[in-house]
Every structure is written in structure tokens, then in C-alpha cells.
Amino acid sequence: MSAPILVCGDNALGACVEESLRAQGATTRRLHCRSFELQPADLAGAAALILVGDGDSANVSLALRSRHFEPGLPIVMRIFDSALVQYLDETLPGVRVLSMSGVAAPLFAQAAREVLASPGTRAPSGLPLRSRRRYRVDKTLIVALLSLFVLVFPSAAYYSHELNLRYLDALYFVWTTVMTVGYGDIALKDASDTAKVYGMFLMLGGASFIAVLFALLSDFVLTRRLEVLQGRTPERGDGHIIMVGAGNVGYRVAGLLRDAGRRLVVIEREGESLRARELAAAGDHVIVADATAEETLAIAALPRAALVLALADSDAVNLQVALLARRCGVPVIMRSDSAELATHMQARGDAIAISPLTPATQAFVSAALAAARRSVR
């Protein structure tokens, strides 16, 4: 095939596609330009155009401008948004639309189904994870309570003597003073000046204590509310799937597994993630936190999980999660953008490691070669 296949995309997928095309004997040429820079000469004599940039809008713009210059040029392009895919299929004939996540997600979902269907699968107890969430005592609250104790009980003894009251009545009087709800039945109108001055001191101390108490109470309520909104509530069930990462791949995998009746606990670091909100709306337990922290995995009930899917965009994060899961005896399916790392972990038996680049590269290359052959004929 003498006519070159143009590859546009300065990323790992673009490099892998170009390398694979050359390995299969195809002539390739890299296209380094944006849509407004594209000229007819850039497309002259091309057998096909592969657009694998990271942005949907950039790929669409390049496809439309290319089609304007070369109406018959076969185009294979990378698009994630499903609505955009449907629109392009209806309005731009001769364009093959693929996505790396769309190609890779079924592989992860199939691997998960195979692991869960294997006879030895269980919800392992494993080793307990350390959690620093429990029994955390607020030192400010302890100091405030001790200060209240020192303020109230000696003051009750003083007023019991000064006002000739029973100790319980004096304690009641001091308590109403400190809590700023007096005076009604017992007052200091006829008491000595010392008692009145001491009463003013009680009022000031009581107001200070109430301010601290309400501040701590508000902080507790707001913190608890934030934890609930971010899904940081302990998972009570067992046999669930923990999925780390709510990106393009994770979002698609979650949909496939949910359709198969599986219950998911999703851990996503970015609280503003659109996909995380969509997964939460679909009924999944979404935890906004750092998946590499043992505290987070304890919330997700890792020791009782049936499977962990480490699908974050970072290989380092996925590796840390895989090692923690292995320590608890939970099987792991891990995403690795590095094909070498995936092979290494698979060979050691540390995890079922899949690189999305490999199947995505095969899909784009196959589509481009098929389109180029049809255009030649």
C-alpha cells in the first residue's frame, strides 16, 4: 500500500497506532496540526486519516475540515461522548468512530465476570485495614468540658454557702447562670457585692463555653454532612466490587457490570467528576477520597469485597491499590497504561493487568487498514 495513512494525535495511542501500522507494512505519516492550520496539501494522496487526539472537539474539527478538503477520504476517529458519536454517524458518512474506553471497557468487564464466576471466588475476610477514623477525641472539647467542670462545681459550693442554699439548688443556680437562661427563681439582687461580681464572672465564662460548644457542634454536623455527601460512609454489605477511578474506562465498565446485576463501590479522587456524579445517580456507592489510603479502603469494606477493579488514570495509584487488595486476599483486575508493567504483573500473578492501549491500537489499526483498502478499490 503506497499511499500513506495519516496519523494525528500526539499521545501514546497515536504512537502505538503508527508503530503497529508500520509493523504491518503500511506507509504512515504523522500530522502535527490543529484544525485551522490544516491545508489541502496535508491530505494530498492519503489513503486514510486516523484522528486519535485526546479531545473530542479537536478531533471533530479536524474531521470536518478534512472532509471539506477531501470528501472521499476515509476517516477513523476517536470520540468518547455517545451523543456526539450518534450525531456523527448520522451526518458524516464514511467516518468510523471508536474510543479507547469503549474498546477496553468490555475487556475489563469480561475479565471481572470470569473472576467472579470462578469456583474459588468468595468475599474474603483477609487482613484488617487500619482506620484512623474511629475514637478521635477533640482536644478542644476535652479542655472545654474540664473548664466547665472546674467552673460549675466549685461555684455551686460557693453559692451554697453565700446564699444559704442546698448544694443542689446552688448547682441549679450556677448552671442556669452559665447557660445564660437565668434569672427567674433564684437571683443575686439581694446578694453581696462579691457574689454579684462572681456572678458576672460566671456569665462571661458561661457565654465563652457556649460559644465553644456551638462551634464544635457545628463543626461536627458540617463535617458529618460533608462525609455523607462525599460518600464516606462505611459500606455495610459484602461480595461487592470496588472500582477505583470514575474516568471514561471506569464509567463504561461500571455500566456493564451494573447491567449484569453487580453492586459497585466506586472510589474517585475528584469530587467534581461528572462521571462520579452520574454513577452516584445510577445507584452506585461513590466515595470521594484517595483510594491509596487504607482508611478509604476500610470505608469501602475491602476485606469483604469480591473483586477490586483498579481503573484510575495513574499506573502508580492502580499499583498501590492492587498491592493493598492482594494483602487482604481480594482478587484484582488492574489497568496499566504501560504494556510492560501489565506483562510484568501478569507474569508474577500479582493482578490481572490489562493495558487499554493494546486493544485500542488493534481496533484503530484494523479500522484504518480496512478503510484504506476499500478506498483503493
Side-chain angles (χ1 to χ4, degrees), residues 178-246:
V178 168
M179 296 299 165
T180 68
V181 295
Y183 296 103
D185 40 7
I186 303 176
L188 295 175
K189 179 182 178 181
D190 300 323
S192 66
D193 292 345
T194 303
K196 292 177 180 177
V197 171
Y198 190 73
M200 289 187 285
F201 169 76
L202 275 180
M203 295 175 195
L204 178 62
S208 300
F209 169 76
I210 292 298
V212 172
L213 180 64
F214 275 102
L216 293 173
L217 181 61
S218 299
D219 178 70
F220 171 79
V221 173
L222 290 175
T223 300
R224 179 60 179 167
R225 178 60 178 165
L226 182 61
E227 289 182 343
V228 171
L229 290 175
Q230 294 183 334
R232 297 176 187 172
T233 54
E235 172 64 31
R236 302 299 182 187
D238 55 30
H240 53 284
I241 298 173
I242 297 177
M243 190 181 78
V244 176

Side-chain angles (χ1 to χ4, degrees), residues 249-262:
V249 175
Y251 177 76
R252 292 179 184 272
V253 172
L256 293 172
L257 293 177
R258 193 186 313 110
D259 291 343
R262 298 295 180 177

Side-chain angles (χ1 to χ4, degrees), residues 20-285:
S20 180
L21 284 170
R22 289 178 177 175
Q24 298 188 44
T27 303
T28 66
R29 187 171 82 239
R30 271 298 183 104
L31 192 61
H32 299 280
C33 64
R34 289 168 287 186
S35 61
F36 60 86
E37 298 172 338
L38 187 66
Q39 299 299 323
D42 296 324
L43 306 174
L49 172 63
I50 304 177
L51 301 173
V52 289
D54 293 324
D56 284 3
S57 59
N59 290 337
V60 170
S61 297
L62 280 166
L64 292 174
R65 192 170 177 86
S66 301
R67 182 50 55 89
H68 175 71
F69 292 144
E70 295 286 344
L73 179 65
I75 299 175
V76 179
M77 62 189 303
R78 174 186 184 182
I79 297 292
F80 172 77
D81 187 84
S82 57
L84 190 55
V85 170
Q86 182 177 357
Y87 176 77
L88 292 175
D89 284 339
E90 295 173 354
T91 61
L92 204 60
V95 174
R96 177 72 185 278
V97 180
L98 299 170
S99 75
M100 190 163 70
S101 58
V103 173
L107 298 180
F108 285 104
Q110 180 60 31
R113 286 191 287 265
E114 291 175 359
V115 170
L116 295 172
S118 61
T121 302
R122 60 185 178 88
S125 56
L127 298 175
L129 294 172
R130 295 191 301 272
S131 175
R132 295 181 292 275
R133 293 170 52 85
R134 299 180 180 178
Y135 312 118
R136 294 179 60 180
V137 179
D138 193 308
K139 294 181 179 179
T140 305
L141 178 60
I142 296 299
V143 171
L145 292 175
L146 289 175
S147 301
L148 178 65
F149 178 86
V150 172
L151 180 67
V152 170
F153 291 96
S155 298
Y158 167 75
Y159 278 113
S160 176
H161 177 268
E162 181 69 22
L163 301 179
N164 195 24
L165 297 172
R166 291 188 312 142
Y167 182 79
L168 186 59
D169 292 334
L171 183 62
Y172 165 76
F173 165 75
V174 170
W175 191 258
T176 58
T177 301
V178 168
M179 296 299 165
T180 68
V181 295
Y183 296 103
D185 40 7
I186 303 176
L188 295 175
K189 179 182 178 181
D190 300 323
S192 66
D193 292 345
T194 303
K196 292 177 180 177
V197 171
Y198 190 73
M200 289 187 285
F201 169 76
L202 275 180
M203 295 175 195
L204 178 62
S208 300
F209 169 76
I210 292 298
V212 172
L213 180 64
F214 275 102
L216 293 173
L217 181 61
S218 299
D219 178 70
F220 171 79
V221 173
L222 290 175
T223 300
R224 179 60 179 167
R225 178 60 178 165
L226 182 61
E227 289 182 343
V228 171
L229 290 175
Q230 294 183 334
R232 297 176 187 172
T233 54
E235 172 64 31
R236 302 299 182 187
D238 55 30
H240 53 284
I241 298 173
I242 297 177
M243 190 181 78
V244 176
N248 293 344
V249 175
Y251 177 76
R252 292 179 184 272
V253 172
L256 293 172
L257 293 177
R258 193 186 313 110
D259 291 343
R262 298 295 180 177
R263 187 164 53 86
L264 281 84
V265 176
V266 181
I267 303 176
E268 169 58 42
R269 188 166 191 166
E270 299 298 329
E272 298 302 318
S273 168
L274 174 62
R275 299 304 175 192
R277 293 198 296 269
E278 291 179 351
L279 291 175
D284 297 325
H285 181 180

Side-chain angles (χ1 to χ4, degrees), residues 307-328:
L307 176 66
V308 171
L309 287 167
L311 305 179
D313 293 332
S314 168
D315 284 2
V317 170
N318 293 333
L319 180 59
Q320 291 182 62
V321 171
L323 295 178
L324 287 170
R326 189 182 68 168
R327 197 184 79 186
C328 292

